[in-house]
PDB file of all heavy atoms in Angstrom:
ATOM      1  N   VAL X  72     -50.435-102.335  43.768  1.00 97.00           N
ATOM      2  CA  VAL X  72     -51.405-101.245  43.711  1.00 97.00           C
ATOM      3  C   VAL X  72     -52.405-101.392  44.862  1.00 97.00           C
ATOM      4  O   VAL X  72     -52.624-102.532  45.373  1.00 97.00           O
ATOM      5  CB  VAL X  72     -52.124-101.273  42.437  1.00 97.00           C
ATOM      6  CG1 VAL X  72     -51.172-100.970  41.161  1.00 97.00           C
ATOM      7  CG2 VAL X  72     -52.865-102.535  42.140  1.00 97.00           C
ATOM      8  N   PHE X  73     -53.107-100.342  45.223  1.00 97.00           N
ATOM      9  CA  PHE X  73     -54.170-100.324  46.057  1.00 97.00           C
ATOM     10  C   PHE X  73     -55.103 -99.158  45.490  1.00 97.00           C
ATOM     11  O   PHE X  73     -54.786 -98.514  44.644  1.00 97.00           O
ATOM     12  CB  PHE X  73     -53.793-100.249  47.459  1.00 97.00           C
ATOM     13  CG  PHE X  73     -53.161 -98.913  47.921  1.00 97.00           C
ATOM     14  CD1 PHE X  73     -53.865 -97.904  48.425  1.00 97.00           C
ATOM     15  CD2 PHE X  73     -51.841 -98.726  47.584  1.00 97.00           C
ATOM     16  CE1 PHE X  73     -53.285 -96.731  48.780  1.00 97.00           C
ATOM     17  CE2 PHE X  73     -51.288 -97.513  47.952  1.00 97.00           C
ATOM     18  CZ  PHE X  73     -52.001 -96.494  48.486  1.00 97.00           C
ATOM     19  N   HIS X  74     -56.175 -99.039  46.210  1.00 97.00           N
ATOM     20  CA  HIS X  74     -57.157 -97.953  45.779  1.00 97.00           C
ATOM     21  C   HIS X  74     -57.550 -96.984  47.069  1.00 97.00           C
ATOM     22  O   HIS X  74     -57.516 -97.451  48.066  1.00 97.00           O
ATOM     23  CB  HIS X  74     -58.513 -98.614  45.417  1.00 97.00           C
ATOM     24  CG  HIS X  74     -58.273 -99.498  44.225  1.00 97.00           C
ATOM     25  ND1 HIS X  74     -57.819-100.828  44.340  1.00 97.00           N
ATOM     26  CD2 HIS X  74     -58.298 -99.257  42.880  1.00 97.00           C
ATOM     27  CE1 HIS X  74     -57.730-101.320  43.094  1.00 97.00           C
ATOM     28  NE2 HIS X  74     -57.962-100.412  42.282  1.00 97.00           N
ATOM     29  N   VAL X  75     -57.638 -95.723  46.718  1.00 97.00           N
ATOM     30  CA  VAL X  75     -58.095 -94.587  47.431  1.00 97.00           C
ATOM     31  C   VAL X  75     -59.364 -94.072  46.949  1.00 97.00           C
ATOM     32  O   VAL X  75     -59.329 -93.624  45.856  1.00 97.00           O
ATOM     33  CB  VAL X  75     -56.981 -93.589  47.758  1.00 97.00           C
ATOM     34  CG1 VAL X  75     -57.472 -92.458  48.616  1.00 97.00           C
ATOM     35  CG2 VAL X  75     -55.771 -94.173  48.329  1.00 97.00           C
ATOM     36  N   LYS X  76     -60.290 -93.979  47.765  1.00 97.00           N
ATOM     37  CA  LYS X  76     -61.575 -93.290  47.479  1.00 97.00           C
ATOM     38  C   LYS X  76     -61.712 -91.986  48.148  1.00 97.00           C
ATOM     39  O   LYS X  76     -61.860 -91.834  49.273  1.00 97.00           O
ATOM     40  CB  LYS X  76     -62.770 -94.076  47.848  1.00 97.00           C
ATOM     41  CG  LYS X  76     -64.102 -93.497  47.340  1.00 97.00           C
ATOM     42  CD  LYS X  76     -65.290 -94.343  47.544  1.00 97.00           C
ATOM     43  CE  LYS X  76     -66.510 -93.715  46.978  1.00 97.00           C
ATOM     44  NZ  LYS X  76     -66.644 -92.394  46.766  1.00 97.00           N
ATOM     45  N   PRO X  77     -61.432 -90.840  47.310  1.00 97.00           N
ATOM     46  CA  PRO X  77     -61.553 -89.524  47.895  1.00 97.00           C
ATOM     47  C   PRO X  77     -63.042 -89.243  48.256  1.00 97.00           C
ATOM     48  O   PRO X  77     -63.929 -89.772  47.566  1.00 97.00           O
ATOM     49  CB  PRO X  77     -60.946 -88.554  46.728  1.00 97.00           C
ATOM     50  CG  PRO X  77     -60.330 -89.524  45.768  1.00 97.00           C
ATOM     51  CD  PRO X  77     -60.922 -90.879  45.979  1.00 97.00           C
ATOM     52  N   GLU X  78     -63.306 -88.237  49.195  1.00 91.00           N
ATOM     53  CA  GLU X  78     -64.643 -87.777  49.437  1.00 91.00           C
ATOM     54  C   GLU X  78     -65.278 -87.247  48.149  1.00 91.00           C
ATOM     55  O   GLU X  78     -64.726 -86.444  47.571  1.00 91.00           O
ATOM     56  CB  GLU X  78     -64.612 -86.750  50.566  1.00 91.00           C
ATOM     57  CG  GLU X  78     -64.394 -87.321  51.909  1.00 91.00           C
ATOM     58  CD  GLU X  78     -64.459 -86.336  52.934  1.00 91.00           C
ATOM     59  OE1 GLU X  78     -64.905 -85.185  52.653  1.00 91.00           O
ATOM     60  OE2 GLU X  78     -64.190 -86.593  54.143  1.00 91.00           O
ATOM     61  N   GLY X  79     -66.481 -87.850  47.800  1.00 89.00           N
ATOM     62  CA  GLY X  79     -67.111 -87.386  46.705  1.00 89.00           C
ATOM     63  C   GLY X  79     -66.621 -87.587  45.391  1.00 89.00           C
ATOM     64  O   GLY X  79     -67.083 -87.054  44.377  1.00 89.00           O
ATOM     65  N   GLY X  80     -65.666 -88.667  45.280  1.00 93.00           N
ATOM     66  CA  GLY X  80     -65.238 -88.955  44.029  1.00 93.00           C
ATOM     67  C   GLY X  80     -64.998 -90.444  43.732  1.00 93.00           C
ATOM     68  O   GLY X  80     -65.134 -91.220  44.784  1.00 93.00           O
ATOM     69  N   PRO X  81     -64.658 -90.848  42.675  1.00 96.00           N
ATOM     70  CA  PRO X  81     -64.538 -92.236  42.401  1.00 96.00           C
ATOM     71  C   PRO X  81     -63.220 -92.741  42.939  1.00 96.00           C
ATOM     72  O   PRO X  81     -62.179 -91.949  43.214  1.00 96.00           O
ATOM     73  CB  PRO X  81     -64.529 -92.397  40.834  1.00 96.00           C
ATOM     74  CG  PRO X  81     -64.015 -91.060  40.419  1.00 96.00           C
ATOM     75  CD  PRO X  81     -64.488 -90.093  41.351  1.00 96.00           C
ATOM     76  N   ALA X  82     -63.029 -94.065  43.208  1.00 96.00           N
ATOM     77  CA  ALA X  82     -61.789 -94.698  43.655  1.00 96.00           C
ATOM     78  C   ALA X  82     -60.703 -94.448  42.572  1.00 96.00           C
ATOM     79  O   ALA X  82     -60.997 -94.625  41.407  1.00 96.00           O
ATOM     80  CB  ALA X  82     -61.937 -96.020  43.997  1.00 96.00           C
ATOM     81  N   LEU X  83     -59.483 -94.221  43.161  1.00 97.00           N
ATOM     82  CA  LEU X  83     -58.348 -94.043  42.326  1.00 97.00           C
ATOM     83  C   LEU X  83     -57.342 -95.180  42.530  1.00 97.00           C
ATOM     84  O   LEU X  83     -57.150 -95.581  43.626  1.00 97.00           O
ATOM     85  CB  LEU X  83     -57.684 -92.762  42.632  1.00 97.00           C
ATOM     86  CG  LEU X  83     -58.523 -91.408  42.515  1.00 97.00           C
ATOM     87  CD1 LEU X  83     -57.654 -90.257  43.143  1.00 97.00           C
ATOM     88  CD2 LEU X  83     -58.860 -91.236  41.095  1.00 97.00           C
ATOM     89  N   GLU X  84     -56.748 -95.679  41.536  1.00 97.00           N
ATOM     90  CA  GLU X  84     -55.727 -96.673  41.648  1.00 97.00           C
ATOM     91  C   GLU X  84     -54.426 -96.004  42.063  1.00 97.00           C
ATOM     92  O   GLU X  84     -54.060 -94.955  41.382  1.00 97.00           O
ATOM     93  CB  GLU X  84     -55.474 -97.470  40.412  1.00 97.00           C
ATOM     94  CG  GLU X  84     -54.575 -98.645  40.516  1.00 97.00           C
ATOM     95  CD  GLU X  84     -54.412 -99.463  39.223  1.00 97.00           C
ATOM     96  OE1 GLU X  84     -53.687 -99.123  38.338  1.00 97.00           O
ATOM     97  OE2 GLU X  84     -55.216-100.440  39.143  1.00 97.00           O
ATOM     98  N   VAL X  85     -53.804 -96.428  42.990  1.00 98.00           N
ATOM     99  CA  VAL X  85     -52.512 -95.889  43.491  1.00 98.00           C
ATOM    100  C   VAL X  85     -51.408 -97.015  43.316  1.00 98.00           C
ATOM    101  O   VAL X  85     -51.518 -98.065  43.859  1.00 98.00           O
ATOM    102  CB  VAL X  85     -52.590 -95.443  44.944  1.00 98.00           C
ATOM    103  CG1 VAL X  85     -51.299 -94.932  45.382  1.00 98.00           C
ATOM    104  CG2 VAL X  85     -53.659 -94.395  45.121  1.00 98.00           C
ATOM    105  N   ARG X  86     -50.330 -96.619  42.754  1.00 98.00           N
ATOM    106  CA  ARG X  86     -49.146 -97.515  42.493  1.00 98.00           C
ATOM    107  C   ARG X  86     -48.271 -97.266  43.618  1.00 98.00           C
ATOM    108  O   ARG X  86     -47.813 -96.219  43.872  1.00 98.00           O
ATOM    109  CB  ARG X  86     -48.389 -97.284  41.308  1.00 98.00           C
ATOM    110  CG  ARG X  86     -49.281 -97.608  39.909  1.00 98.00           C
ATOM    111  CD  ARG X  86     -48.561 -97.868  38.758  1.00 98.00           C
ATOM    112  NE  ARG X  86     -49.262 -98.502  37.768  1.00 98.00           N
ATOM    113  CZ  ARG X  86     -49.713 -99.772  37.734  1.00 98.00           C
ATOM    114  NH1 ARG X  86     -49.319-100.561  38.679  1.00 98.00           N
ATOM    115  NH2 ARG X  86     -50.360-100.284  36.736  1.00 98.00           N
ATOM    116  N   MET X  87     -47.939 -98.331  44.351  1.00 97.00           N
ATOM    117  CA  MET X  87     -47.055 -98.241  45.571  1.00 97.00           C
ATOM    118  C   MET X  87     -45.651 -97.559  45.266  1.00 97.00           C
ATOM    119  O   MET X  87     -45.193 -96.724  45.964  1.00 97.00           O
ATOM    120  CB  MET X  87     -46.792 -99.629  46.147  1.00 97.00           C
ATOM    121  CG  MET X  87     -48.114-100.303  46.761  1.00 97.00           C
ATOM    122  SD  MET X  87     -48.511 -99.548  48.228  1.00 97.00           S
ATOM    123  CE  MET X  87     -47.493-100.170  49.361  1.00 97.00           C
TER     124      MET X  87
END
Side-chain angles (χ1 to χ4, degrees):
V72 297
F73 66 96
H74 299 85
V75 174
K76 184 174 182 336
E78 285 186 5
L83 305 171
E84 184 176 89
V85 177
R86 298 201 164 283
M87 294 288 283

